[in-house]
Amino acid sequence: MMSLSALVLFLIMMIFGLPIAFAMGVSAAVVIWWNDFPMTVVAQRSVNALDSTPLLAVPLFIFAASLFNHAGITRHLFEVIRIVVGRIRGGLGHVTVLTNLVFSGISGAALADIGALGSTQIKLMREQKYRDEFSAGITMAAATIGPIFPPSIPLIIFAAAAEVSAVKLLLAGIVPALIIAALLMVQIAIMARVQKLPRDTVAFTWSGFGRTFLVALPALVAPVILIGGLVTGLFGPTEVAGVTVAYAFFLGTVVYRELTWSGIVAAARETVQATASVLLIVASAALMAWVFTIDQIPTIAAELLLSLSRDPLVLLFIVNGLLLVVGMIMESIAAILILAPIITPALMQAGVDPVQLGVVVVLNLMIGLLTPPVGMSLYMVSIIARMPLHRVIAGAMPFLIPLLLSLLVITLWPAASTWLPNQLVK
Amino acid sequence: MTPDSTAPAREGWPERVASWGEALAMAMLLAMAALVVLQVIARDGFHLGLAWADELARYAGLTIVYLTSPLLLLRNRHVLVDILLNILPARLRIAVECINDVLMVLFGALFLWGGWVYMQRAGRFSTPALGMPNLVFYAPVMLGMVLLFAAAVIRAARQVAKLRRGDLTPPPTDGGIKL
């Protein structure tokens, strides 16, 4: 009853535009107060949730991606990929997918990727007479790779909420991210033929490619260093984030020499603002999770789910259905923090690997970024492309097909998520 | 994330005060990155575990969140869902935003109450690695919440003043932080 009151209050406040962190915090705090629990819980639970070494990876990965952007490194990545695949029909669509795939090896959030790459990609596609709906759609769809490929802020947060190995979860995203990229490129190839999309105007020469490749090489190896460090155990997830920041500083100041003091300040400012915004939600969600635990909601939810079925696949499909709806109406970090502790015990009891579950949960919620009414990618692309929202939504629709197909593959084939981490982490 | 998204829309003295918190948070971010890298070097290079560096990095993390939040609130940059707000008539929208501000004041009050009681007990102890008094360790949290509480009161007062002036323009926002 306490949980239901908190949840209903939260949803009403969220719908009426109260910032999510406060909607969650005030609804949980009021319920705690109303039910005569000690008020120390409010401060203690919120602060304890943030006083955590694994969560330090969140600001550090945001900072690394922001430094890469301010140092002009993302531009070098874009240029080299453009030379390689741009000349294919619909080539800029493929360039968008591959650039996001490489950049996702540095950044860990979909909206950060749209912010870093979106305006350049959409501007170039516009110049080459691509339909605006296509440009907006592929920009949003390709950005879903970011939170799946390591590093991934949503996966780190899932790992913390569900008490799963963060290293395994991060590595689990590699194969699914490649599947998403491949299916998106198939979709682009089909649309390129049907809509007669243009080829890129950039000419391919071996010397031009060699020059651009050499310039971009130090940036291209960043994801390799990151994944290599995780696999060899040289760094943990938080440490790898710190090392990526140091590498971004090194590339920006020594190799490319484009990172200025004002760039560092701007990157730091963006980072603290994004971090405060996300981690305040985490703090409030910890409070909400405490209310749920007191009401034994995880146990009740586990019993309910297991009474429906004990088949792991059936349960995963139920969770997929639930999360696709939740992803449409709730912000993804809040959804992970509320739902992960509730659904994980039941699915683990049924034999689902929590590592696979983490990838399935995050992909579901990232698909939610492309669906109204709470699709944050839609709003962001609408702003940067200066397009009305209904056209952005129309642009997203065709790309939901490869994303949902990817989700189906990852649901039906657990090894897509579990094989690589099981091979690399003993 | 575009650089423009961090540009201030309108600056008054509350924003200028809150900007100091943000500046401190930015310095803490750089310190945190350095401390995490230092731990890697110490462990992989010299087989040394630096528990104090981990504790300081976590302290930096708490500082970043709680000292930046008041500025985000004043600039309307916390993550929110504004679909309903955008379709409400202007006067009703401001009334709803006013209620939202009051709810944020309530949250700040409940948190500070709980925090005050908690600090009576926890404040007598120190942190395990550095021996830093808990009062110091949690000071950025409590200071940040006091500023957040003040920011919510200021927002509410500004909304009421707007209603009295008959100014029905929505508050400047870029729709929240782009992560």
Side-chain angles (χ1 to χ4, degrees):
Chain A
M1 191 60 201
M2 213 167 72
S3 303
L4 190 65
S5 316
L7 194 63
V8 169
L9 277 174
F10 162 59
L11 289 174
I12 292 172
M13 290 177 196
M14 186 182 74
I15 290 165
F16 276 93
L18 186 65
I20 291 167
F22 294 95
M24 220 183 268
V26 79
S27 48
V30 164
V31 165
I32 288 168
W33 178 37
W34 194 258
N35 288 280
D36 282 334
F37 284 102
M39 288 311 290
T40 51
V41 169
V42 177
Q44 195 182 355
R45 287 279 152 180
S46 310
V47 176
N48 282 356
L50 299 189
D51 184 12
S52 137
T53 305
L55 281 185
L56 298 182
V58 174
L60 292 174
F61 276 130
I62 297 173
F63 194 32
S66 195
L67 284 172
F68 267 75
N69 209 18
H70 282 280
I73 301 167
T74 35
R75 199 182 63 244
H76 297 303
L77 292 175
F78 187 74
E79 286 306 321
V80 72
I81 293 167
R82 191 180 165 195
I83 287 185
V84 177
V85 296
R87 294 291 298 164
I88 305 170
R89 185 174 288 283
L92 285 181
H94 297 294
V95 172
T96 300
V97 173
L98 292 175
T99 312
N100 273 275
L101 182 61
V102 176
F103 189 65
S104 67
I106 302 150
S107 124
L111 299 183
D113 293 7
I114 294 176
L117 303 164
S119 50
T120 313
Q121 290 162 348
I122 291 170
K123 183 169 168 258
L124 204 59
M125 283 190 260
R126 229 171 225 167
E127 281 169 9
Q128 298 194 12
K129 312 287 182 218
Y130 281 73
R131 288 176 57 230
D132 271 357
E133 283 82 354
F134 176 88
S135 314
I138 190 58
T139 300
M140 290 181 289
T144 57
I145 298 170
I148 304 294
F149 197 86
S152 158
I153 290 169
L155 282 176
I156 288 171
I157 288 178
F158 181 91
E163 297 177 2
V164 182
S165 155
V167 175
K168 276 194 160 188
L169 253 178
L170 287 175
L171 294 172
I174 295 176
V175 175
L178 295 174
I179 293 171
I180 297 168
L183 289 174
L184 282 175
M185 290 175 81
V186 169
Q187 173 81 0
I188 293 165
I190 295 167
M191 290 175 80
R193 288 207 171 274
V194 174
Q195 298 181 5
K196 301 209 179 336
L197 294 177
R199 295 169 195 275
D200 196 355
T201 48
V202 70
F204 180 88
T205 61
W206 280 106
S207 62
F209 167 69
R211 218 175 21 251
T212 320
F213 181 77
L214 278 178
V215 171
L217 187 61
L220 285 167
V221 298
V224 180
I225 296 173
L226 193 152
I227 294 167
L230 276 178
V231 170
T232 55
L234 264 180
F235 331 120
T238 306
E239 291 169 345
V240 89
V243 171
T244 312
V245 168
Y247 191 60
F249 265 108
F250 171 71
L251 290 186
T253 53
V254 178
V255 179
Y256 297 111
R257 297 184 181 183
E258 290 182 51
L259 187 60
T260 58
W261 175 245
S262 62
I264 294 168
V265 170
R269 178 168 289 127
E270 286 169 7
T271 303
V272 296
Q273 293 192 0
T275 300
S277 184
V278 171
L279 292 190
L280 204 64
I281 295 176
V282 173
S284 294
L287 209 51
M288 188 69 101
W290 185 85
V291 173
F292 288 170
T293 310
I294 290 295
D295 263 357
Q296 295 187 311
I297 295 296
T299 315
I300 295 166
E303 282 167 5
L304 181 70
L305 275 170
L306 292 171
S307 70
L308 294 172
S309 172
R310 287 194 168 260
D311 185 322
L313 208 54
V314 173
L315 287 174
L316 273 174
F317 275 109
I318 293 171
V319 166
N320 275 333
L322 173 75
L323 288 171
L324 283 172
V325 175
V326 167
M328 287 181 192
I329 55 171
M330 200 186 273
E331 195 274 334
S332 54
I333 301 292
I336 290 171
L337 288 160
I338 288 182
L339 291 176
I342 293 176
I343 59 175
T344 308
L347 273 82
M348 279 176 73
Q349 274 188 52
V352 176
D353 191 319
V355 169
Q356 182 199 8
L357 180 63
V359 178
V360 167
V361 167
V362 172
L363 180 54
N364 266 299
L365 296 173
M366 292 308 117
I367 292 172
L369 292 176
L370 277 72
T371 51
V374 188
M376 291 175 96
S377 292
L378 297 171
Y379 299 109
M380 188 152 181
V381 167
S382 166
I383 292 166
I384 63 170
R386 296 182 204 289
M387 277 173 70
L389 194 60
H390 68 273
R391 288 183 63 201
V392 178
I393 294 170
M397 290 302 135
F399 294 103
L400 288 177
I401 299 167
L403 291 177
L404 289 170
L405 274 177
S406 308
L407 180 61
L408 187 66
V409 172
I410 293 158
T411 304
L412 291 174
W413 185 33
S417 320
T418 57
W419 176 78
L420 194 60
N422 287 341
Q423 293 299 311
L424 298 176
V425 183
K426 298 296 175 192
Chain B
M1 191 182 299
T2 51
D4 285 344
S5 68
T6 58
R10 184 183 61 147
E11 295 287 323
W13 67 263
E15 282 85 357
R16 284 199 295 277
V17 171
S19 293
W20 283 100
E22 186 196 49
L24 185 58
M26 286 158 66
M28 283 293 191
L29 174 70
L30 294 171
M32 178 207 284
L35 287 164
V36 171
V37 174
L38 184 68
Q39 285 179 78
V40 176
I41 295 168
R43 197 196 52 239
D44 293 340
F46 304 97
H47 303 289
L48 279 175
L50 302 181
W52 62 267
D54 178 61
E55 199 169 280
L56 268 185
R58 284 187 283 112
Y59 180 67
L62 286 175
T63 308
I64 289 169
V65 176
Y66 285 97
L67 288 192
T68 310
S69 290
L71 187 66
L72 292 184
L73 185 58
L74 287 168
R75 290 185 181 160
N76 207 23
R77 288 235 177 93
H78 278 286
V79 177
L80 56 87
V81 179
D82 58 1
I83 301 162
L84 186 67
L85 282 180
N86 287 337
I87 57 171
L88 287 178
R91 193 171 288 275
L92 186 58
R93 177 187 175 134
I94 292 182
V96 169
E97 283 174 337
C98 222
I99 294 169
N100 285 345
D101 291 333
V102 171
L103 287 169
M104 287 190 272
V105 171
L106 175 65
F107 177 65
L110 291 173
F111 189 104
L112 286 171
W113 173 18
W116 176 255
V117 178
Y118 178 56
M119 289 317 296
Q120 308 287 315
R121 184 161 41 89
R124 281 181 263 143
F125 303 100
S126 300
T127 60
L130 281 166
M132 186 194 296
N134 272 344
L135 279 175
V136 178
F137 192 80
Y138 294 118
V141 176
M142 296 305 283
L143 176 64
M145 285 309 295
V146 168
L147 290 175
L148 206 61
F149 176 79
V153 172
I154 289 165
R155 272 175 58 116
R158 282 176 175 172
Q159 298 282 14
V160 172
K162 264 177 78 172
L163 270 178
R164 282 189 175 164
R165 282 198 309 270
D167 176 2
L168 300 179
T169 52
T173 179
D174 55 9
I177 288 297
K178 311 295 186 282
L179 180 78

